Amino acid sequence: MDVCIDEVFFLRVLNFINSIMESWNVKTPTNTVHDINEFFPEVNVDRTSKMIYIKLLHIKPIRLNFSFANVPGIDRVNDSRISKVLRRGGALANIDSAPLQLNGLILQHPFTTRWDLVFRILKHYFNSGLREFHKVLGSADILGSPISLMNSLGTGIYDFFHEPYEGIATHSTKQFLIGCARGTQSLVKNSIYGVFNTTSKITGTVSKGMAQLSFDREYIRDREWLHRQQPRHAGEGFVYGIRDFSTGIFQALAGLVAGPVRGAMNEGLPGFVKGVARGVSGVTIKPAVGTLDLLTRTTEGIRNTASYLNDQKRHLRKRPPRYFGPDSILLSFSLEKSEGQELLSTIEEGKFQKESYLFHMKIVQQQRVVLVSNLHVFYVKVSMEHPANIMLNPFLDWRVLVKDIKVLYVSEAEKGIVILLRNHQSNSLFETPSNKRLIHAPSAQVEAMFHKLQRVLCVLKHPSITTTTISVKPSYAQHSHASLTSSLSTSSSHV
């Protein structure tokens, strides 16, 4: 079992427990602890009442991998001793997958009060945790997580000898060679992961601690936000490292000017002096932090490369996340709506995930998808895997705002649906601005797609539906114009 806790969650749970203790009139322990019993509060209850009896209480042993992450730059309203420790040395308190094993507990025929039983269980786990504390220290990021390094190297060395042995046991030369290949692959992969994981942990912790010395809370918060993006491979790691290094240089130069000005505006002359001091210290600290970030991100990328391909195969979903409409009501699972919602959430790294999905249509021959939200019409290039036509690797060809659409019509010459815009637009610096967008589609899909787009525009109360004449080419208008007019009038009556 993996247990991952960050500082924000930990402090909120601590505040919640303190509020419960206050409501129960619990006496808090003194500052000086001479006995282990003082770690556990005393509750003002009648010990002779509410006695409980249990024939056999058996709690199984617990195995877990414990991780703790400090969050720099947060506002700590809690003024407890733990909060003060995290504020001063929290950057050094990160724990990476400490393998803890808490012993089980067996109590036969306990006859006691409820509170005595609870405190007895708490003391048991407290003592078990103390016996495992060395594993927590061995998994600290400031030390490079040596336990993780030993586990990785041990796994690689074990596989290097065990896999060929398994091949020999089958009396097959082919299986022996396959075992040699698997063992060598495991040794190389785990060695790369262990060494570069240790390097990235040490440099990352040092850079995080140095960033605290800048005393620039905005810089610390922005840096922490950037570090939430984890590189998937060495290429991304190097790109992220260059970005963080450039950010450190820019922040150092900007702090020389912005720091004194901001301080003078907030606190006058004393604030100006503080701003100058922060700016000068930032000139030396922030570039150094950027250099360490470059090294950290690069080593993280190399570390993650070892498991990148395996993760790609292992993390492929069986089905997309469930679709929730604008009202967030739980409905029956719809594969079509779930696929569309996931596509909308993944375009350009989630830039449009706050928009509401309406519908989408696949154009399998073109490897394209027409996707409509409450604000945009998207034309997306995807890779479709048969036979389910699962949409992978979305790339946005173009997008237009619904309010910018002037006319929508079917064109036989263009072999698809033409969208005319109110003004000329371009999707990139290298594209010539144009007021026309084209949806290529086979003739069998054009009519249905056209009708559906028109209905959506009616629902969104688009001005062109009532003020602009819908133009349809003669070859398509013979049997569709009458039905189109009736469907539009029906949709308008429901708006």
Side-chain angles (χ1 to χ4, degrees):
M1 179 175 63
D2 294 331
V3 178
C4 303
I5 301 176
D6 64 8
E7 182 182 352
V8 176
F9 176 78
F10 176 73
L11 291 178
R12 289 179 179 176
V13 171
L14 190 64
N15 289 334
F16 178 71
I17 293 175
N18 288 337
S19 63
I20 292 178
M21 292 298 184
E22 291 176 359
S23 65
W24 287 350
N25 296 323
V26 175
K27 298 178 181 179
T28 57
T30 57
N31 293 333
T32 304
V33 180
H34 301 285
D35 184 69
I36 192 173
N37 294 323
E38 297 185 27
F39 276 104
F40 302 99
E42 296 181 359
V43 183
N44 297 327
V45 296
D46 186 3
R47 300 286 177 162
T48 61
S49 62
K50 297 181 180 179
M51 302 291 287
I52 59 175
Y53 168 77
I54 301 175
K55 183 177 180 180
L56 177 64
L57 176 63
H58 185 190
I59 302 178
K60 297 289 186 178
I62 300 175
R63 289 184 178 182
L64 56 90
N65 296 319
F66 175 74
S67 300
F68 179 81
N70 171 256
V71 183
I74 65 171
D75 296 326
R76 299 177 176 87
V77 296
N78 191 334
D79 198 29
S80 63
R81 285 177 293 177
I82 296 179
S83 180
K84 292 178 181 179
V85 171
L86 292 175
R87 184 187 300 116
R88 297 171 184 174
L92 309 179
N94 287 1
I95 306 299
D96 177 31
S97 299
L100 305 181
Q101 181 173 353
L102 305 179
N103 296 331
L105 176 64
I106 298 178
L107 297 177
Q108 293 182 342
H109 307 290
F111 182 64
T112 182
T113 64
R114 180 178 58 179
W115 296 113
D116 287 338
L117 181 62
V118 169
F119 293 153
R120 188 171 179 179
I121 296 174
L122 289 177
K123 289 180 182 180
H124 166 75
Y125 283 113
F126 183 84
N127 292 329
S128 297
L130 288 180
R131 287 191 291 268
E132 298 288 303
F133 189 69
H134 65 282
K135 297 181 180 179
V136 176
L137 292 179
S139 301
D141 283 2
I142 187 61
L143 302 177
S145 188
I147 288 183
S148 177
L149 174 62
M150 292 297 104
N151 288 338
S152 298
L153 294 179
T155 301
I157 294 174
Y158 174 81
D159 290 343
F160 181 74
F161 291 101
H162 179 73
E163 292 293 339
Y165 175 78
E166 290 289 328
I168 294 175
T170 60
H171 304 286
S172 171
T173 305
K174 181 180 178 181
Q175 292 298 324
F176 171 72
L177 295 177
I178 293 175
C180 290
R182 289 177 178 174
T184 304
Q185 180 186 11
S186 177
L187 177 62
V188 173
K189 183 178 71 173
N190 284 283
S191 298
I192 292 175
Y193 180 88
V195 172
F196 285 97
N197 178 63
T198 297
T199 305
S200 64
K201 295 296 183 184
I202 295 175
T203 56
T205 305
V206 173
S207 63
K208 187 180 295 185
M210 290 183 62
Q212 300 291 325
L213 300 178
S214 66
F215 301 104
D216 189 341
R217 301 182 65 181
E218 183 177 352
Y219 164 71
I220 295 173
R221 189 178 296 110
D222 292 343
R223 179 181 173 276
E224 180 64 25
W225 179 260
L226 291 177
H227 275 251
R228 293 182 181 180
Q229 295 179 297
Q230 291 295 318
R232 296 173 295 175
H233 47 76
E236 278 193 357
F238 183 72
V239 171
Y240 288 171
I242 294 295
R243 179 199 63 186
D244 294 348
F245 176 74
S246 303
T247 301
I249 298 296
F250 174 78
Q251 291 279 5
L253 297 177
L256 282 175
V257 179
V261 173
R262 191 184 302 114
M265 293 176 61
N266 295 334
E267 302 179 23
L269 182 59
F272 176 80
V273 175
K274 293 179 182 178
V276 171
R278 291 176 181 173
V280 173
S281 64
V283 170
T284 58
I285 292 176
K286 293 177 182 178
V289 172
T291 304
L292 289 173
D293 286 342
L294 172 60
L295 180 59
T296 300
R297 304 296 264 174
T298 304
T299 53
E300 284 180 350
I302 297 174
R303 176 198 66 186
N304 295 340
T305 302
S307 56
Y308 174 65
L309 296 178
N310 292 335
D311 288 344
Q312 288 291 97
K313 298 178 181 179
R314 184 170 61 252
H315 294 163
L316 187 63
R317 297 184 64 103
K318 297 297 183 182
R319 73 177 193 182
R322 181 183 293 272
Y323 166 78
F324 288 90
D327 298 330
S328 300
I329 298 177
L330 180 62
L331 303 174
S332 299
F333 179 78
S334 171
L335 180 60
E336 179 183 1
K337 292 182 179 180
S338 299
E339 285 181 341
Q341 180 65 50
E342 183 182 29
L343 182 61
L344 179 63
S345 301
T346 54
I347 295 176
E348 294 191 353
E349 300 182 353
K351 183 178 180 181
F352 309 101
Q353 61 182 350
K354 293 185 178 180
E355 299 183 14
S356 298
Y357 162 80
L358 297 181
F359 87 95
H360 75 281
M361 293 188 70
K362 300 177 182 178
I363 309 174
V364 179
Q365 294 86 341
Q366 304 290 338
Q367 297 284 291
R368 296 293 191 278
V369 175
V370 178
L371 176 66
V372 182
S373 72
N374 61 323
L375 297 179
H376 287 93
V377 176
F378 303 91
Y379 193 54
V380 186
K381 179 181 179 181
V382 296
S383 299
M384 298 188 187
E385 293 186 354
H386 294 281
N389 291 330
I390 299 174
M391 299 178 291
L392 301 174
N393 305 319
F395 177 79
L396 184 61
D397 279 353
W398 53 260
R399 62 181 171 90
V400 295
L401 284 167
V402 172
K403 65 180 182 180
D404 291 339
I405 298 177
K406 182 178 181 182
V407 177
L408 182 73
Y409 65 89
V410 177
S411 173
E412 185 179 20
E414 301 283 358
K415 296 182 179 180
I417 301 173
V418 176
I419 299 176
L420 292 183
L421 307 178
R422 300 183 184 279
N423 47 44
H424 288 69
Q425 300 178 9
S426 63
N427 293 301
S428 67
L429 297 175
F430 306 100
E431 180 182 352
T432 303
S434 173
N435 69 331
K436 183 172 71 173
R437 298 290 185 271
L438 177 62
I439 300 176
H440 293 281
S443 57
Q445 283 187 274
V446 167
E447 184 178 349
M449 188 179 300
F450 179 67
H451 279 254
K452 205 160 188 177
L453 284 171
Q454 287 295 333
R455 292 191 186 99
V456 170
L457 291 177
C458 281
V459 172
L460 296 177
K461 300 181 181 180
H462 193 274
S464 64
I465 297 301
T466 56
T467 62
T468 306
T469 302
I470 305 301
S471 172
V472 185
K473 295 301 179 183
S475 61
Y476 289 91
Q478 293 178 358
H479 63 281
S480 64
H481 185 70
S483 60
L484 172 62
T485 304
S486 61
S487 65
L488 290 180
S489 60
T490 304
S491 300
S492 300
S493 63
H494 289 289
V495 175

